[in-house]
Amino acid sequence: MSLQTLPPEILSNICGYIDVANLSFVSRRIRAVVLKFVLSRLKVSFPGDRFEAISAFLRQSNSSQHVRTLALHAQGLDNAAWPRLIEFLSRLTGLKSLECGEKVALSLLAVWDQLPQCELFVRGFQMRGGLQREDYQLDPKFRLLTASCLTSLECDVCMRDLERSSQLLNHDDDDDEEDEEDEGADEGAVDELDQDMLMAQAESLQVAKVVGFLASVVPNLRRLNLIRNYWYGSIEIPKRRARKAKLVHLDLAGIENPQPTLFEHLQKSTDFEVLESLFLPGISELTREWLDGHPMSLPRLKELKMDVPHDFIRYQGQVEDSWKCFENILMNVPPLKKLKLVGDYNIVLENCLEHHSTLESLTLHEKDDVLDVDLASGIHLTLLEGILRCENLTFLDIQVHRSRGDGGIWKMLQDSRLETLILTLDCQVSRFASTFENRKEVLECAATDEALVRSIYNVSGVDYLRVTSTFAGVQAFNAEDPNTAIAVLQELTGSYEARRVEGRVHVVEMARELLPADEDAIKHDSDIMGVFRSIWPSKGGDWKDDWHSLPLVVDR
């Protein structure tokens, strides 16, 4: 079967892996498929030249119906520009989702009946509590919250509500009799609507990225992402305490150092029996102790993302079992399909891997803020061997510590059944081994080019490969100028993608930003260039043309 005879559905999928600009010139039929693929998701700013160009192209090519998702950034709208925007939107008859800011959304509601009936995602919604009860139905924000088209919302709350939430969070509510009196209170006795009462009116809202409101007050909320580096608590509506949120996705990753009170509120307000996806941030020892005593029942969980902090005490030679909380979480959930661990994951996962042999997707990352490069050791070979025995695993994203003796890694990958492999090759400079030979090994392993990526691709046998090489601890080079060591390592490292198209392996270097370097300083830095030239002798030209990656060694 040739490219020309492939069904449109398959052609559309192929467009996600190749240069669609060149593909569109093959034939009119393929150009039509490419246009449908490219136009399915648009991001435009209004007003502006790009908007006018896109609008004109859609009109001339008669392809407005292909736009399915539109992210609209509009600023400085005036009466003269508004009709052009309405006319543009009205032509998008196939539109399924519209993303825009609060001001644009409020304006569009007045003419919504003239537009395609799509779902609405509002960014930057400024929550305002304290509305007088007799006036709230006239407020534009209330009309937006109650609109049947509003399905996704990214919002904030006013400081008045945050302060009130903080007061309620610190209030001792152990008095059950007082709670019962609250639950029997007359709703009409409340003169103001706080932000939770407002959110309770958003009956069509399914996805929310917010700070500081209780999930249970939104009737049909399914996906919740709590953001910001603080959490002040949440205002509970007494008459609604019996209802629990039926969330399928809960993301707490944006909260720094969440306290036990947050999890206590979540357990009271959320029905974890239906939760399918959970993202947990790094949690303190106090929170870990609380979770140990209050385990969460998550019978339907399929995806888990969790930060596991590095145990610095262990590296000082002392025994400290600080992973027990994370092991308990992993062992108390059902076998997962997707798992992402960030931090000191090796021991935690080794002890729980057999329980999660059903994994289809696994991501293991080091923390970006690990200051001691000797703590970021990459994946253990015994763990990698166990991971690759998972029969359903098709996606793997891991960090590998590159060295001359890493042939065992490539041997294991050679026998895998992976479809997608994301590799981070970490070329560390250990502060305990800054000898000439050690620095030479770092430069050898840092050298990443197309030839190395092709070798890894052929060894692993995957459909898609992304390789990114990184470095840390350059101070250990003892270079005359540390910036010269950074410049050389930046030249050697990089990021590449590889995939097979029509039987051939295509390798593409991804765009990267290089810091400006003083070439004369590099050439005259005897420390870094002495190491460099011991590996790659000069060919008489620029040093950047002399280096190449070393052949990949696979243990037999």
Side-chain angles (χ1 to χ4, degrees):
M1 181 177 291
S2 68
L3 184 65
Q4 295 279 7
T5 58
L6 285 175
E9 295 80 7
I10 297 179
L11 275 175
S12 182
N13 288 331
I14 293 175
C15 289
Y17 298 93
I18 57 179
D19 184 353
V20 293
N22 291 330
L23 183 64
S24 64
F25 293 108
V26 174
S27 70
R28 289 183 178 181
R29 175 178 175 272
I30 293 180
R31 176 179 171 81
V33 175
V34 169
L35 275 179
K36 185 176 181 180
F37 171 81
V38 172
L39 296 176
S40 62
R41 300 178 64 89
L42 279 185
K43 183 177 180 179
V44 298
S45 297
F46 179 84
D49 294 339
R50 186 171 185 272
F51 170 82
E52 300 298 342
I54 291 176
S55 179
F57 174 79
L58 292 177
R59 186 185 299 107
Q60 294 169 5
S61 61
N62 195 27
S63 52
S64 299
Q65 72 277 8
H66 295 322
V67 181
R68 295 289 183 266
T69 302
L70 176 65
L72 177 64
H73 295 263
Q75 294 181 349
L77 285 177
D78 53 32
N79 293 334
W82 185 251
R84 297 208 310 277
L85 178 60
I86 298 301
E87 188 272 336
F88 171 76
L89 293 175
S90 64
R91 287 191 279 115
L92 307 182
T93 55
L95 193 63
K96 300 297 183 184
S97 175
L98 173 61
E99 176 185 343
C100 61
E102 177 190 341
K103 291 184 178 180
V104 175
L106 290 171
S107 300
L108 288 177
L109 280 183
V111 293
W112 195 255
D113 57 341
Q114 305 176 28
L115 304 178
Q117 298 306 293
C118 62
E119 295 181 348
L120 184 60
F121 170 30
V122 178
R123 304 182 311 268
F125 184 84
Q126 295 296 315
M127 182 62 65
R128 183 176 72 248
L131 292 177
Q132 295 301 312
R133 178 168 292 277
E134 61 270 18
D135 297 334
Y136 73 93
Q137 290 185 340
L138 302 178
D139 189 272
K141 290 177 181 287
F142 177 81
R143 293 203 302 271
L144 179 56
L145 284 174
T146 56
S148 60
C149 57
L150 181 67
T151 59
S152 301
L153 189 70
E154 178 181 323
C155 71
D156 207 336
V157 294
C158 67
M159 290 308 299
R160 173 179 178 176
D161 284 331
L162 288 177
E163 292 168 0
R164 186 175 175 189
S165 297
S166 181
Q167 293 171 2
L168 288 178
L169 181 63
N170 297 322
H171 185 269
D172 184 7
D173 59 353
D174 292 335
D175 190 346
D176 295 336
E177 294 182 1
E178 184 177 334
D179 287 346
E180 290 177 3
E181 292 177 3
D182 288 342
E183 291 181 14
D186 182 7
E187 186 176 345
V190 182
D191 294 327
E192 293 184 348
L193 288 177
D194 57 43
Q195 48 117 358
D196 276 349
M197 291 180 180
L198 284 173
M199 295 302 299
Q201 312 302 316
E203 296 186 356
S204 297
L205 190 62
Q206 299 178 24
V207 181
K209 187 176 183 181
V210 297
V211 54
F213 84 84
L214 202 62
S216 61
V217 304
V218 184
N220 297 305
L221 192 65
R222 293 296 175 263
R223 301 178 65 86
L224 174 63
N225 182 357
L226 291 179
I227 56 176
R228 300 293 176 88
N229 291 331
Y230 53 81
W231 190 81
Y232 284 96
S234 198
I235 302 172
E236 295 191 23
I237 301 177
K239 295 198 70 173
R240 295 185 180 272
R241 283 188 180 178
R243 180 207 293 158
K244 287 192 173 184
K246 300 288 186 179
L247 296 178
V248 296
H249 173 86
L250 176 60
D251 185 351
L252 308 176
I255 301 178
E256 182 179 340
N257 192 24
Q259 298 303 307
T261 321
L262 170 60
F263 291 95
E264 184 177 356
H265 275 258
L266 287 170
Q267 286 199 344
K268 289 180 180 179
S269 63
T270 306
D271 182 5
F272 287 124
E273 298 288 327
V274 298
L275 196 66
E276 297 181 1
S277 176
L278 175 63
F279 292 177
L280 289 176
I283 50 181
S284 64
E285 184 177 352
L286 181 64
T287 305
R288 276 179 261 170
E289 292 176 356
W290 188 90
L291 287 174
D292 280 337
H294 303 80
M296 296 180 289
S297 176
L298 305 167
R300 296 189 184 180
L301 198 69
K302 299 176 182 177
E303 178 181 8
L304 176 65
K305 174 184 174 183
M306 190 163 57
D307 283 3
V308 184
H310 282 269
D311 185 358
F312 292 91
I313 298 179
R314 173 168 66 89
Y315 287 91
Q316 296 172 3
Q318 302 179 27
V319 177
E320 178 67 25
D321 190 8
S322 64
W323 305 282
K324 208 63 183 175
C325 170
F326 302 101
E327 290 183 16
N328 289 341
I329 293 175
L330 283 173
M331 293 303 293
N332 289 332
V333 299
L336 298 169
K337 290 187 177 181
K338 297 182 68 175
L339 176 63
K340 179 177 181 178
L341 297 178
V342 179
D344 199 1
Y345 53 78
N346 278 290
I347 293 181
V348 172
L349 188 55
E350 282 179 9
N351 295 337
C352 307
L353 187 59
E354 185 176 351
H355 177 62
H356 295 287
S357 59
T358 55
L359 282 172
E360 298 175 3
S361 171
L362 178 62
T363 300
L364 302 174
H365 284 178
E366 296 284 355
K367 278 187 173 295
D368 295 333
D369 57 354
V370 175
L371 300 180
D372 192 335
V373 297
D374 295 291
L375 296 182
S377 58
I379 191 169
H380 294 172
L381 290 184
T382 54
L383 175 59
L384 179 60
E385 184 178 9
I387 289 170
L388 294 176
R389 284 200 295 266
C390 296
E391 296 182 355
N392 300 324
L393 190 69
T394 58
F395 177 96
L396 182 61
D397 183 350
I398 56 173
Q399 177 174 329
V400 173
H401 177 49
R402 282 284 276 145
S403 67
R404 291 170 180 164
D406 61 6
I409 296 174
W410 316 118
K411 171 59 179 174
M412 292 180 189
L413 291 174
Q414 194 174 31
D415 301 327
S416 72
R417 294 179 292 273
L418 297 172
E419 297 176 2
T420 300
L421 177 61
I422 313 296
L423 270 183
T424 300
L425 306 179
D426 182 19
C427 311
Q428 303 171 13
V429 185
S430 173
R431 59 188 171 93
F432 299 116
S434 58
T435 63
F436 179 90
E437 193 62 28
N438 173 254
R439 289 179 285 168
K440 180 178 178 181
E441 180 178 358
V442 169
L443 290 190
E444 289 175 346
C445 295
T448 306
D449 58 10
E450 182 178 329
L452 177 65
V453 176
R454 284 182 179 274
S455 297
I456 297 175
Y457 184 88
N458 291 329
V459 164
S460 61
V462 296
D463 298 327
Y464 173 80
L465 170 69
R466 185 166 76 235
V467 175
T468 302
S469 53
T470 63
F471 59 90
V474 292
Q475 290 79 4
F477 266 91
N478 297 323
E480 296 174 5
D481 180 2
N483 290 332
T484 60
I486 294 176
V488 171
L489 284 167
Q490 278 191 329
E491 173 64 27
L492 297 177
T493 56
S495 185
Y496 295 80
E497 286 185 340
R499 52 168 59 90
R500 191 177 301 276
V501 179
E502 295 185 349
R504 299 180 59 186
V505 179
H506 289 255
V507 179
V508 179
E509 183 176 10
M510 302 171 68
R512 55 176 173 161
E513 294 184 5
L514 299 178
L515 294 176
D518 186 341
E519 294 296 329
D520 290 335
I522 295 175
K523 292 177 181 178
H524 292 91
D525 191 322
S526 57
D527 289 321
I528 187 67
M529 291 311 295
V531 178
F532 183 91
R533 288 306 179 192
S534 69
I535 309 171
W536 301 288
S538 174
K539 298 179 181 178
D542 191 341
W543 66 273
K544 295 181 180 180
D545 299 325
D546 295 340
W547 72 271
H548 55 84
S549 64
L550 300 184
L552 193 69
V553 177
V554 181
D555 285 352
R556 300 297 180 187

